[in-house]
Amino acid sequence: QVQLVESGGGLVQAGGSLRLSCAASTSIFSIDTMGWYRQAPGKQRELVALITNVGSTTYTDSAQGRFTISRDNAKNTVYLQMDSLKPEDTAVYYCYAKSGWGNAWGQGTKVTVSS
């Protein structure tokens, strides 16, 4: 099973941008689906965006138009470019992978958006 390590979180003002990275311990070329979830304080973990091994993407309404998910198979890394950030985007962001061996999660990276 793959191990996932997120990075790129931090504190940013509303309207700013951050790029999250998720580095996998193995090749991601054949991983069916990778993506990002987030969990705000006191709330359940929710989907942000997904990308398949053929590059198809899915976004939630809150992410559509502001966030961009991408994957670099050569670097075994998935990215989440987040623009026009809002205070309600404040959460711990988790990388996710799903393939034939099951699901895997990273440890999370914290994003705080100040107003």
Side-chain angles (χ1 to χ4, degrees):
Q1 191 178 35
V2 67
Q3 293 184 335
L4 306 171
V5 179
E6 303 96 332
S7 61
L11 174 64
V12 64
Q13 288 188 330
S17 298
L18 282 175
R19 188 176 81 154
L20 305 184
S21 299
C22 171
S25 60
T26 63
S27 171
I28 66 170
F29 181 80
S30 60
I31 294 179
D32 295 338
T33 301
M34 297 191 72
W36 293 91
Y37 283 71
R38 69 186 182 186
Q39 187 166 18
K43 296 188 176 181
Q44 290 188 332
R45 191 172 298 189
E46 64 176 9
L47 173 67
V48 177
L50 297 172
I51 185 166
T52 70
N53 56 359
V54 295
S56 298
T57 57
T58 301
Y59 296 94
T60 57
D61 288 345
S62 62
Q64 184 74 47
R66 298 188 299 126
F67 296 180
T68 303
I69 189 170
S70 61
R71 60 193 287 167
D72 186 335
N73 290 340
K75 295 183 178 180
N76 297 325
T77 301
V78 173
Y79 303 98
L80 185 68
Q81 176 68 41
M82 304 188 295
D83 299 317
S84 302
L85 283 161
K86 305 174 181 180
E88 51 264 44
D89 295 317
T90 294
V92 177
Y93 285 71
Y94 296 91
C95 184
Y96 166 80
K98 178 186 176 188
S99 198
W101 34 256
N103 300 333
W105 294 91
Q107 83 289 348
T109 185
K110 188 175 182 180
V111 171
T112 303
V113 184
S114 64
S115 58

